[in-house]
Amino acid sequence: MDLKSKREDLDSESIERLTLVEVEGVALTSDTAEKWGRIWGFQARPDDLLICTYPKAGTTWLQEIVDMIQHGGDPEKCARAPIHQRMPFIEICPPMFARLEEADAMPSPRTLKTHLPVQLLPPSFWEQNCKIIYMARNVKDNAVSYFHFHRMDQGMPEPGNWDQFLAKFMAGKVAWGSWFDHVRGWWEAKDRHPILYLFYEDLKEDPAQEIQKVAQFLELELPESVLNRIIQHTDFESMKANPMANYTSLSPLVMNHAISPFMRKGTVGDWKEHFTVAQNEQLDDVIARELGGSSLTFRTQL
Ligand code: A3P
């Protein structure tokens, strides 16, 4: 496929939406699937930190928090570049995101981002015993957020209407595959690997407590004044207004914030505005079936 016609040719009027291709049974966007060999062979380093999420679980929020912790709560240092350049997204193509080659050239210690499910993580991350921070978000809000993201990101596959998207989402026929497999796979992996497993809802409810958890995991001290600065800098309104965190630095041909802003609502419980009673019951059945045997539980309201 001619990738230029997909994401690289930003001079044209519009870009073409990507299609899905299965890699090891997981749906990935075609650009990622095409360079899968290169991604699988990615060389992690022992001092890499990996931020891992299912898409729309609050990745950017967690990235900004981590960057602030790593830079002593200095917002100027975190404004050095847009978030997608500060932390390479290992399976996504240029030009919007840092290239794998740029990640290779980046000095240590690096902080990297991925949405890959646990079984597709390049083996070098396990071999190097890298620290990983995983954040999960309840499936109902996650699905709603992903739907609106498909509408605004012109490179994502065509979402259809909400009913159509939700059916695909529940079947795992969306980019990065099944939400259920993702959250459960990483939940099980945390018992055999240095993984800090966080929840969007906890971070929303008590940012101070959750940010402290991240700092402890990174073995960094966080004085109260720095913690307070981080809380303020990374609250929803601040991040929505921050061009280095809100993705407005990308071409509107890629992300069209007029359709739906990247920083959309940032709440717990927005799913209630989208789900019918029948859809909610259907998803509850799927949750019971898919997560029933697991100790993993989610809150869908605060
Ligand atoms: P909504 O679409 O529900 O508003 P990701 O970064 O993984 O793509 O996730 C994006 C989601 O996280 C969006 O959810 C976005 O608004 C939300 N988000 C981003 N920054 C946030 C913050 N500081 N506080 C709460 N939610 C935030």
Side-chain angles (χ1 to χ4, degrees), residues 56-61 137 145 200 234 236 263-266:
K56 312 319 286 178
T59 328
T60 318
W61 189 11
R137 185 180 194 183
S145 184
Y200 179 100
T234 59
F236 181 72
M263 296 293 170
R264 196 182 58 90
K265 286 208 173 161

Side-chain angles (χ1 to χ4, degrees), residues 53-63 113 115 137 141 144-146 148-149 200 204 234-237 239-240 247 260-267 270:
T53 55
Y54 189 82
K56 312 319 286 178
T59 328
T60 318
W61 189 11
L62 181 56
Q63 286 178 276
K113 162 184 166 179
H115 288 319
R137 185 180 194 183
D141 284 323
V144 167
S145 184
Y146 209 10
H148 290 294
F149 182 68
Y200 179 100
K204 191 78 197 171
T234 59
D235 76 9
F236 181 72
E237 293 307 327
M239 285 195 49
K240 191 176 172 72
Y247 282 100
S260 179
F262 185 94
M263 296 293 170
R264 196 182 58 90
K265 286 208 173 161
T267 57
D270 183 47

Side-chain angles (χ1 to χ4, degrees), residues 53-102:
T53 55
Y54 189 82
K56 312 319 286 178
T59 328
T60 318
W61 189 11
L62 181 56
Q63 286 178 276
E64 194 67 22
I65 287 170
V66 166
D67 203 35
M68 281 289 278
I69 293 174
Q70 289 169 333
H71 291 92
D74 183 345
E76 301 278 310
K77 289 190 178 147
C78 296
R80 67 194 180 282
I83 192 75
H84 54 275
Q85 288 173 12
R86 284 180 264 156
M87 298 180 184
F89 185 178
I90 60 170
E91 70 269 24
I92 281 285
C93 274
M96 301 102 71
F97 296 92
R99 297 159 198 264
L100 278 173
E101 290 73 17
E102 284 168 17

Side-chain angles (χ1 to χ4, degrees), residues 2-219:
D2 177 17
L3 279 182
K4 260 193 138 8
S5 66
K6 296 293 182 188
R7 288 201 175 220
E8 294 193 33
D9 185 7
L10 299 181
D11 294 334
S12 62
E13 284 298 296
S14 65
I15 62 164
E16 220 176 293
R17 285 180 176 270
L18 295 165
T19 53
L20 294 178
V21 175
E22 284 199 358
V23 173
E24 308 286 335
V26 177
L28 297 176
T29 47
S30 49
D31 56 348
T32 297
E34 275 173 21
K35 58 186 175 83
W36 183 248
R38 171 79 177 85
I39 295 164
W40 184 250
F42 182 78
Q43 279 309 303
R45 304 175 194 153
D47 55 359
D48 283 342
L49 172 69
L50 184 65
I51 293 179
C52 180
T53 55
Y54 189 82
K56 312 319 286 178
T59 328
T60 318
W61 189 11
L62 181 56
Q63 286 178 276
E64 194 67 22
I65 287 170
V66 166
D67 203 35
M68 281 289 278
I69 293 174
Q70 289 169 333
H71 291 92
D74 183 345
E76 301 278 310
K77 289 190 178 147
C78 296
R80 67 194 180 282
I83 192 75
H84 54 275
Q85 288 173 12
R86 284 180 264 156
M87 298 180 184
F89 185 178
I90 60 170
E91 70 269 24
I92 281 285
C93 274
M96 301 102 71
F97 296 92
R99 297 159 198 264
L100 278 173
E101 290 73 17
E102 284 168 17
D104 286 342
M106 214 172 192
S108 292
R110 306 180 294 187
T111 301
L112 307 167
K113 162 184 166 179
T114 187
H115 288 319
L116 290 170
V118 71
Q119 73 277 23
L120 292 187
L121 188 71
S124 62
F125 284 99
W126 308 121
E127 289 156 14
Q128 301 293 347
N129 207 30
C130 299
K131 283 188 181 179
I132 299 174
I133 308 180
Y134 186 85
M135 186 150 84
R137 185 180 194 183
N138 83 76
V139 64
K140 297 177 184 178
D141 284 323
N142 206 140
V144 167
S145 184
Y146 209 10
F147 171 62
H148 290 294
F149 182 68
H150 276 73
R151 293 172 56 237
M152 68 87 71
D153 185 314
Q154 304 304 305
M156 291 299 283
E158 184 58 57
N161 64 27
W162 163 245
D163 296 353
Q164 292 164 330
F165 178 81
L166 183 62
K168 282 186 279 197
F169 180 90
M170 285 196 283
K173 302 291 180 205
V174 289
W176 288 282
S178 157
W179 175 93
F180 298 96
D181 292 349
H182 209 283
V183 296
R184 206 186 38 225
W186 281 101
W187 181 251
E188 287 162 7
K190 76 175 177 12
D191 298 334
R192 47 178 198 270
H193 198 85
I195 297 171
L196 175 68
Y197 199 108
L198 301 172
F199 294 91
Y200 179 100
E201 294 74 26
D202 294 348
L203 187 54
K204 191 78 197 171
E205 185 175 65
D206 193 342
Q209 176 186 289
E210 299 305 298
I211 292 169
Q212 281 290 14
K213 270 191 207 168
V214 175
Q216 272 165 22
F217 184 69
L218 300 179
E219 298 168 78

